[in-house]
Amino acid sequence: MLCKMKIATICTSLLLVLSCHNAWADVHQEVTQLAHTGRLSEALLLADQYLASDPRDLQMQFTKGVIQQDIGKMAEAADTFRQLTIEYPDQPEPYNNLAVIYASQAQFEKARSVLELAIQSNSSYAIAHQNLVEIYSQLAMQAYAKALQLPQEKRSIKPKLTLIRSPLAASNLPPPGLADTLSYANPDTSGSEMRSVPPSDFSSNRSIEDNAATRPQIQTIALDAGDYGLPTASTRDPEKEIENAVLEWARMWSARDLKGYFAAYSDTFVPPDGMERKTWERERTLRIAKKSNITVRIANLVIHVKEDHGIAQFHQDYQSGHFTVSSEKLLEFDKLNQRWLIVKEMISN
Amino acid sequence: MIHLTGYFLLCLLLSFATATSAHSNTYPDNRNGLQAIKSPKNRHSSTADVTASSQQAEQRLLDIYHLIASGYSSDAVAQAASLAREYPNFQLAQLVYGDLLAAKIRNLHSWGDIPVEWSPKIGHTLDELRAEFHQRVLAVNDLPPPGSIPSQFLQIPLETRHAIAVDASRSRLYLFENRPEGLVLMANFYISVGKAGIAKSTQGDKRTPLGIYFITNFLDAASLKNFYGSGALPINYPNVLDLMRGKTGGGIWLHGTPPSQFSQAPQASNGCIVMANPDLTYLLQHIEVGSTPVLISPQITWVDPSETASESKQFDVTLQAWHDAKESGRLDAVMSFYMSNVHGIGKSLKNWQQMLQREISGRQGKDLALKDVSLLHWTDSADTMVVTFVEDFSGMDVGMKKRQFWMKDGNQWKIFFETAI
């Protein structure tokens, strides 16, 4: 008797679940059907109705966004997709569609940032994309070297690509390799617009000195300059050395390598707000070690150096999980025992 | 992703008397270096295959920039990739390819956006590439109106089948074919001049001469060092006017490039005119040693042939007067056309007289005809005319080819040099 009841309960529950699922499938199908036949307002209405009872349904929200976009309600569609990127940050599709809308509004920089997030949302694609970026960089260097007729070493180029250890993403977190990698910085593009290049407008008056002075120094993916027979950073160029010191410091911070991070600071480092060195170290340890991932990006790096003293100013984007903060930073360096070490660190907004 | 916001995003000394060189049978005969070729062998037809020159590569390069400007960046990358692959030593192609690849990963800040840390190493190379690009664009955008010719080409007889004009301001060489309907522009290429620019005057000054010259010789690749590429065409610097002015130096050639380079900076040579190897090869197939004039001008004034018709006619009158006087044997009248011994060039009046006397009596009263008259008008600090013709005595099989150099002396044109060629 009891067994029969259990079976009956099970069957009923199953039926219930199945019918619910069928109901779910029915509504989704109906909405899609309506949209396909061009009855977009009806489709939208039905979608909203459904979402009233189940507002977090990914599929339905997504379909709603697509319909809004088809109708031409761009602002609403953007909101829908934006909401989805918050609720489901690991789905690439909402990012993509948000980017499409931005692009249709000629907001190309926003579109680019969002598409980058789309790629980052899937860790395997993120790695592939990062590797692709590395390859493009190598190819560009090769082409430039040929253009300038620079001697190319016969040994093969060694790009720094990341291997995927497992075909199945174990967690939603990006794998360690990615979090520790310094992401590619976006130099300041304010004020620049897409310009067409009609040949008659071309001006040859710009000298290379002009270019160096007016453009911000871009952080590029680190390449082994030795591959091209070029002098490596350690020889002769103090600006380059300080630049490398800044990048190394940010790298250690991102990698949460406390030993490496503190090694970037001189013994004579004066912590901010008059803190004691030990207190400052303790605070930094807590702040860094506690995080599961940190990404630090450097942009608009400007370096001034005179003999054994240098100042680096840059834009810093700090991200950990969903927490992001941007600031204008200043690092003062002293050259001690052939190494550039930080003696002062400030926010210079 | 392509970030293209903000992108706007490139003769050593040789006596021209010695003209011994090994050459294949496909090239013009070249015994004394000054003999005009009468019968063209193994020539291309006059509907020339210009694709054999560098113009195709240049056009493809400019097309890539047009694609970028029109927003077709993926097409641009694909085309740049294939152009760089087909012309690996075309530095501008590699540069645009590098830029397009870099644009896939970051915003570009300048044309030729090479890494900052390379700057100390590359010296002026990027500047030179930029200059070359600028000059190419300038010339392509400023092609002479169809049917127009350099103002210096007053008259060129059909027997002179080709003519060359170099415009230093455009870093460009223009090749004309002489057809019954007139001079027709058949090709134009980017060229480089001397490191120190133009207006050569002394040996070693690294300048390209200005004036009217003739191709005296041709040298094919087999007899030359790699440095000269696919061949060389020496010209007769210093010409008579240069010698009169005391100019020194020599060994000015039109030649190709070493294998590592497709083309060079606008000012790159020791005075020679350098061009891409396919262009030099093209010239080798379309000129005649001795008769092809080479005009080198700081900046060419392009005119419709009708604009210089009256100038040409006026000089014809003078030339005719000289000819009439000579034909009629009136020595004094003929003599009035000659200048005495200008700066050691030419002859003294006495010597001109002797020469003319000999010619007149040698002709024994037979009729004298002037044929195939060429008038090339070069004006700088002096007004000069380079006149070439064939003097035909009736009854002779072959006339004598002569070249005269006239200069305007006050209101009168006078001959300061004359020679058989």
Side-chain angles (χ1 to χ4, degrees):
Chain A
M1 203 62 160
L2 213 62
C3 288
K4 273 196 187 156
M5 271 185 70
K6 270 195 184 160
I7 290 170
T9 320
I10 292 168
C11 286
T12 319
S13 319
L14 266 172
L15 271 170
L16 211 62
V17 166
L18 282 169
S19 67
C20 273
H21 177 79
N22 282 342
W24 180 94
D26 282 339
V27 183
H28 281 81
Q29 228 175 6
E30 211 183 323
V31 170
T32 317
Q33 195 61 25
L34 285 167
H36 272 155
T37 53
R39 292 150 71 179
L40 294 170
S41 335
E42 283 181 57
L44 194 57
L45 216 56
L46 192 56
D48 275 331
Q49 249 176 16
Y50 182 92
L51 286 169
S53 58
D54 188 3
R56 278 191 50 101
D57 186 313
L58 168 61
Q59 184 65 56
M60 192 57 84
Q61 283 186 82
F62 194 84
T63 308
K64 172 180 172 179
V66 173
I67 293 170
Q68 283 171 320
Q69 204 259 7
D70 286 339
I71 289 176
K73 293 185 173 183
M74 291 306 180
E76 288 89 337
D79 285 336
T80 306
F81 291 124
R82 205 175 292 117
Q83 182 62 26
L84 281 173
T85 66
I86 296 169
E87 286 174 24
Y88 299 93
D90 297 327
Q91 292 291 139
E93 295 86 350
Y95 294 108
N96 180 77
N97 288 10
L98 189 53
V100 171
I101 292 170
Y102 284 146
S104 73
Q105 298 166 333
Q107 298 192 72
F108 299 118
E109 281 299 325
K110 273 175 128 169
R112 181 168 63 79
S113 310
V114 172
L115 282 170
E116 284 179 349
L117 287 171
I119 290 168
Q120 300 292 334
S121 71
N122 177 313
S123 57
S124 297
Y125 283 148
I127 294 174
H129 178 72
Q130 193 76 359
N131 288 340
L132 184 60
V133 163
E134 185 75 38
I135 294 295
Y136 280 138
S137 179
Q138 294 287 345
L139 287 172
M141 295 297 158
Q142 264 187 324
Y144 281 140
K146 282 181 195 165
L148 301 169
Q149 294 196 293
L150 292 172
Q152 278 191 336
E153 300 293 316
K154 286 286 190 322
R155 58 192 148 103
S156 58
I157 308 297
K158 299 185 289 286
K160 297 174 179 61
L161 301 193
T162 308
L163 199 67
I164 292 177
R165 297 279 165 203
S166 152
L168 304 165
S171 70
N172 285 335
L173 287 175
L178 203 56
D180 296 343
T181 306
L182 221 46
S183 47
Y184 209 84
N186 305 319
D188 182 13
T189 58
S190 59
S192 63
E193 346 152 22
M194 178 83 92
R195 280 176 58 205
S196 63
V197 190
S200 51
D201 285 350
F202 185 90
S203 160
S204 68
N205 290 332
R206 293 177 61 150
S207 68
I208 199 168
E209 287 73 36
D210 288 345
N211 287 342
T214 55
R215 69 172 177 190
Q217 295 200 22
I218 314 163
Q219 172 203 325
T220 62
I221 290 182
L223 267 178
D224 188 355
D227 285 344
Y228 298 97
L230 296 165
T232 51
S234 55
T235 55
R236 286 164 294 174
D237 189 349
E239 274 193 38
K240 185 66 196 166
E241 289 168 4
I242 292 179
E243 185 188 323
N244 286 342
V246 173
L247 298 182
E248 185 67 14
W249 163 81
R251 229 194 310 270
M252 291 296 117
W253 188 358
S254 294
R256 292 172 282 120
D257 180 342
L258 287 169
K259 189 158 170 249
Y261 176 80
F262 288 125
Y265 292 84
S266 158
D267 289 333
T268 58
F269 171 70
V270 179
D273 304 325
M275 237 190 274
E276 290 267 306
R277 174 73 187 235
K278 278 213 163 34
T279 320
W280 171 79
E281 278 191 18
R282 216 176 19 246
E283 196 197 86
R284 294 308 295 155
T285 308
L286 282 171
R287 289 246 172 110
I288 294 173
K290 229 177 78 174
K291 300 288 185 317
S292 53
N293 64 73
I294 292 176
T295 310
V296 176
R297 292 146 100 193
I298 311 283
N300 303 349
L301 180 60
V302 175
I303 293 169
H304 300 237
V305 62
K306 193 169 177 178
E307 282 158 13
D308 285 339
H309 188 71
I311 292 177
Q313 288 175 281
F314 51 91
H315 177 87
Q316 177 187 291
D317 281 318
Y318 169 91
Q319 185 192 349
S320 176
H322 289 295
F323 176 73
T324 59
V325 64
S326 298
S327 35
E328 299 306 308
K329 291 289 287 282
L330 187 148
L331 290 174
E332 265 189 51
F333 286 87
D334 274 352
K335 191 161 189 183
L336 301 159
N337 289 331
Q338 298 305 309
R339 287 190 62 215
W340 289 96
L341 299 171
I342 302 169
V343 292
K344 216 182 262 172
E345 179 177 353
M346 304 188 266
I347 296 187
S348 55
N349 277 48
Chain B
M1 285 175 247
I2 295 209
H3 310 320
L4 285 166
T5 52
Y7 181 68
F8 78 85
L9 327 124
L10 353 172
C11 310
L12 69 105
L13 243 59
L14 185 77
S15 160
F16 36 80
T18 58
T20 51
S21 60
H23 51 270
S24 73
N25 289 335
T26 57
Y27 289 129
D29 287 335
N30 181 36
R31 280 168 280 274
N32 59 16
L34 299 174
Q35 192 93 20
I37 304 307
K38 306 282 185 213
S39 58
K41 293 174 201 167
N42 299 322
R43 294 301 188 91
H44 291 280
S45 72
S46 51
T47 51
D49 181 25
V50 191
T51 55
S53 69
S54 71
Q55 282 181 264
Q56 210 190 28
E58 180 183 72
Q59 191 53 52
R60 284 167 67 180
L61 177 75
L62 298 178
D63 285 345
I64 290 166
Y65 282 99
H66 281 121
L67 283 171
I68 295 169
S70 313
Y72 298 108
S73 36
S74 325
D75 289 340
V77 179
Q79 298 216 11
S82 68
L83 187 64
R85 192 173 46 244
E86 286 174 51
Y87 297 89
N89 58 352
F90 189 7
Q91 294 169 264
L92 286 176
Q94 294 288 355
L95 194 69
V96 74
Y97 185 40
D99 274 348
L100 284 166
L101 287 167
K104 282 180 175 284
I105 54 184
R106 58 182 165 85
N107 284 329
L108 298 181
H109 284 266
S110 63
W111 181 93
D113 201 29
I114 58 160
V116 179
E117 56 268 24
W118 287 11
S119 305
K121 181 95 175 177
I122 60 166
H124 298 293
T125 312
L126 191 61
D127 285 341
E128 289 178 354
L129 288 174
R130 192 178 288 118
E132 178 184 339
F133 182 69
H134 173 79
Q135 289 297 93
R136 285 180 181 273
V137 167
L138 197 61
V140 167
N141 275 359
D142 199 19
L143 287 176
S148 65
I149 57 172
S151 57
Q152 289 87 349
F153 291 174
L154 287 194
Q155 231 184 86
I156 300 186
L158 279 175
E159 285 67 24
T160 301
R161 303 184 62 238
H162 295 93
I164 291 173
V166 174
D167 185 331
S169 72
R170 294 286 181 277
S171 300
R172 210 77 181 173
L173 183 150
Y174 302 88
L175 174 66
F176 296 88
E177 187 180 34
N178 198 9
R179 301 190 195 162
E181 62 266 32
L183 286 174
V184 174
L185 182 65
M186 68 185 305
N188 68 96
F189 329 118
Y190 169 82
I191 51 97
S192 306
V193 297
K195 283 194 189 83
I198 49 176
K200 184 172 187 66
S201 63
T202 41
Q203 181 170 333
D205 66 4
K206 297 200 201 310
R207 289 172 179 270
T208 297
L210 296 172
I212 288 174
Y213 300 92
F214 294 88
I215 293 178
T216 61
N217 204 340
F218 99 91
L219 306 166
D220 76 356
S223 59
L224 298 170
K225 293 194 295 195
N226 255 355
F227 180 81
Y228 299 105
S230 56
L233 293 163
I235 60 174
N236 63 327
Y237 172 87
N239 62 23
V240 167
L241 184 61
D242 296 325
L243 289 169
M244 199 184 86
R245 289 161 167 176
K247 295 190 180 176
T248 58
I252 300 298
W253 296 0
L254 276 57
H255 66 76
T257 56
S260 58
Q261 281 185 299
F262 184 72
S263 50
Q264 298 182 345
Q267 288 177 213
S269 74
N270 283 336
C272 294
I273 292 174
V274 184
M275 65 195 77
N277 288 330
D279 296 337
L280 198 288
T281 304
Y282 189 82
L283 281 189
L284 288 174
Q285 294 159 348
H286 292 92
I287 53 95
E288 294 76 34
V289 170
S291 71
T292 300
V294 179
L295 162 71
I296 309 175
S297 165
Q299 188 170 3
I300 293 176
T301 305
W302 295 93
V303 298
D304 187 88
S306 59
E307 292 175 55
T308 50
S310 65
E311 208 182 316
S312 178
K313 277 200 181 71
Q314 268 187 338
F315 191 85
D316 269 337
V317 168
T318 308
L319 187 64
Q320 195 61 43
W322 167 83
H323 166 255
D324 286 343
K326 191 167 173 187
E327 191 179 30
S328 64
R330 293 177 282 134
L331 193 59
D332 285 340
V334 182
M335 280 310 302
S336 69
F337 288 96
Y338 287 82
M339 281 169 100
S340 162
N341 211 338
V342 190
H343 296 282
I345 301 303
K347 307 178 198 294
S348 65
L349 281 174
K350 187 156 163 241
N351 288 338
W352 284 127
Q353 198 164 4
Q354 284 170 349
M355 176 196 94
L356 286 161
Q357 184 67 70
R358 268 201 308 277
E359 282 188 24
I360 287 169
S361 29
R363 219 181 61 235
Q364 294 160 349
K366 291 204 192 85
D367 286 337
L368 182 67
L370 279 194
K371 290 189 341 187
D372 308 340
V373 175
S374 165
L375 302 177
L376 302 170
H377 188 191
W378 176 257
T379 310
D380 47 28
S381 54
D383 211 355
T384 64
M385 193 76 69
V386 181
V387 182
T388 316
F389 51 75
V390 172
E391 246 182 2
D392 235 0
F393 300 166
S394 61
M396 278 187 66
D397 288 329
V398 156
M400 172 138 36
K401 193 160 185 185
K402 281 194 174 165
R403 187 162 285 152
Q404 290 174 333
F405 295 81
W406 296 65
M407 185 179 293
K408 208 150 188 198
D409 183 13
N411 261 342
Q412 254 199 307
W413 283 102
K414 287 202 175 174
I415 302 166
F416 67 92
F417 192 79
E418 179 178 313
T419 181
I421 57 169

